[in-house]
Amino acid sequence: MNVPDHLTDDLLVRAFDDELSDREEILVNAHLPGCEGCRQRYGAVRQLSGRIESVIAAGVPDALPNDRDALVERLEAAHVRPAPLPVGRSALRSFRWIGPIAAAVLLALLFVPRLARLLSENPTTASQDRPSATFEVDGETFIPLPYSNPDLPMSAPHIVEMQVPVASLASAGVMFEPVSNEAMASDRSVLADVLVGLDGQPLGVHVLSVE
Amino acid sequence: MQSGDVIALRVAGWGTEYLEDTSHRRLVLEYYDREQLPLRRYLLCLGVDQENCREILQETFLRLHQHLLAGGDQTNLRAWLFRVAHNLARNSQTAFHASRTGPLADAMTAGELASGGASVEDELLAKERTVRLHRAMQELSAAQRECLVLRSQGLKYREIAGVLNLSTSTVGENIQRGLERLKDVL
């Protein structure tokens, strides 16, 4: 209903719903205090809206307590279990957001020089001859490497399978069983799982196979 | 979750995915506690029966959990919940077709409305007025009724527009016309 020189019903409804533009709000605020007719119509909108709310609320029973319990159970059933760190080849498969090939190439480029440097700087930290120096992650044994922040949590996607130069491992005193002269040749590399911390630094290495 | 719990989980070797999921589940339950009643009101007004309503609500909040796990947008989860519930109801066979004989109407005719402590005559008048209003709401177009119910649950026009896939101006028109028709009834 449009009333000349008065606010339209549309404006009054949107004023009640706080849906006016700045310009409309100025118009309504300027008009409403001085117009008894529009104030009454505004009051009617408020009253009708209140009744509608009452009607909608009236017939709705309270939720059953076990509805919430059922939701909790279903959420519990669907939730992400504390995932064990994947080992060996499965770790690479869990690299979901990067293609395995791209990841291997990229990480090899990034970490092989760093790994070599770290191994050569700290030869005593990595040795398969001393079991006490190793640590286990869900059944997979890693030789520890210098790590920037040991408090960071370890998570599954950060184990990558890659080729590590034998020279780097040898300089760190990592020996293989059985010892093979061919395998220990300085120009060879070995397949290894490298555990990478969340800060991007290598945390440990586990030699998988010698080529 | 307290920081001690986080440390304990780290010691146990549990990954960050678990920590995030725990946080998401807690958020889902917070939203359930806050929004399940407005959502149920909306669904029942659409004509969804009680049993389907319960199932749709469960499914809605499970989808919220999945949405959070997938890193979905969290800017307006309230409107998101209404949209999902609306779509689930639309997909159910019984919804949108039983609005005239739904549980809300049954409650009205059974006289289950709160009286408010007035005199017997006032009670009867209020009840009669409410029944008329409810019947009039069932005579509205589906869009008008949905807009009015969502509005009554506190959604803004742009949120209603998102739930019903309408333009904001169309939402305003539906509300305006719906109120006009209901005013005539009263």
Side-chain angles (χ1 to χ4, degrees), chain B residues 31 67 73-83 155-156 158-160:
Chain B
Y31 268 91
H67 176 73
D73 185 16
Q74 296 188 31
T75 49
N76 193 345
L77 289 178
R78 185 165 198 258
W80 187 94
L81 284 168
F82 274 94
R83 186 165 64 249
L155 270 70
K156 305 300 291 181
R158 61 179 169 74
E159 294 173 329
I160 298 171

Side-chain angles (χ1 to χ4, degrees), chain A residues 40-55:
Chain A
Q40 284 184 357
R41 287 165 53 226
Y42 182 81
V45 169
R46 181 167 52 200
Q47 189 178 37
L48 179 57
S49 299
R51 284 180 180 165
I52 291 170
E53 283 184 32
S54 298
V55 166

Side-chain angles (χ1 to χ4, degrees), chain A residues 144-159:
Chain A
L145 299 170
Y147 190 50
S148 60
N149 185 358
D151 290 332
L152 286 174
M154 295 176 290
S155 65
H158 293 85
I159 297 178

Side-chain angles (χ1 to χ4, degrees), chain B:
Chain B
M1 180 176 289
Q2 302 299 311
S3 59
D5 298 332
V6 175
I7 292 168
L9 288 172
R10 285 176 182 172
V11 168
W14 292 9
T16 52
E17 282 183 3
Y18 179 77
L19 298 177
E20 287 174 5
D21 185 42
T22 303
S23 166
H24 292 331
R25 277 184 290 146
R26 188 177 54 199
L27 186 59
V28 169
L29 291 174
E30 282 175 13
Y31 268 91
Y32 178 85
D33 293 338
R34 198 162 55 223
E35 304 297 345
Q36 62 88 15
L37 185 57
L39 283 166
R40 265 185 325 121
R41 286 173 178 163
Y42 178 61
L43 290 170
L44 291 173
C45 282
L46 293 183
V48 178
D49 63 61
Q50 289 279 3
E51 192 52 42
N52 274 332
C53 181
R54 291 174 67 187
E55 190 50 44
I56 288 172
L57 277 183
Q58 294 270 316
E59 185 60 29
T60 299
F61 285 97
L62 287 172
R63 291 195 182 196
L64 173 62
H65 182 232
Q66 292 167 1
H67 176 73
L68 294 173
L69 281 177
D73 185 16
Q74 296 188 31
T75 49
N76 193 345
L77 289 178
R78 185 165 198 258
W80 187 94
L81 284 168
F82 274 94
R83 186 165 64 249
V84 171
H86 174 88
N87 290 335
L88 288 171
R90 188 173 54 190
N91 291 340
S92 77
Q93 290 293 322
T94 52
F96 297 87
H97 300 292
S99 56
R100 296 184 187 197
T101 56
L104 192 55
D106 296 343
M108 296 294 171
T109 51
E112 294 175 3
L113 299 175
S115 63
S119 69
V120 175
E121 277 190 10
D122 289 342
E123 272 183 42
L124 287 173
L125 280 174
K127 199 173 289 183
E128 171 62 24
R129 195 165 50 209
T130 305
V131 169
R132 266 192 291 143
L133 180 58
H134 178 261
R135 284 178 183 158
M137 284 186 68
Q138 305 311 313
E139 297 297 327
L140 299 176
S141 73
Q144 288 170 354
R145 187 169 56 249
E146 288 159 11
C147 286
L148 283 174
V149 176
L150 289 170
R151 169 182 178 263
S152 76
Q153 301 309 304
L155 270 70
K156 305 300 291 181
Y157 287 13
R158 61 179 169 74
E159 294 173 329
I160 298 171
V163 172
L164 302 178
N165 205 19
L166 301 172
S167 69
T168 306
S169 60
T170 304
V171 169
E173 287 170 14
N174 278 322
I175 289 172
Q176 168 64 29
R177 288 175 184 168
L179 288 174
E180 198 70 34
R181 289 178 64 178
L182 295 179
K183 188 173 71 177
D184 292 343
V185 171
L186 295 176

Side-chain angles (χ1 to χ4, degrees), chain A residues 124-127 130-135 142-144:
Chain A
T124 58
T125 59
S127 172
R130 291 182 294 128
S132 60
T134 63
F135 64 97
F142 286 90
I143 303 168

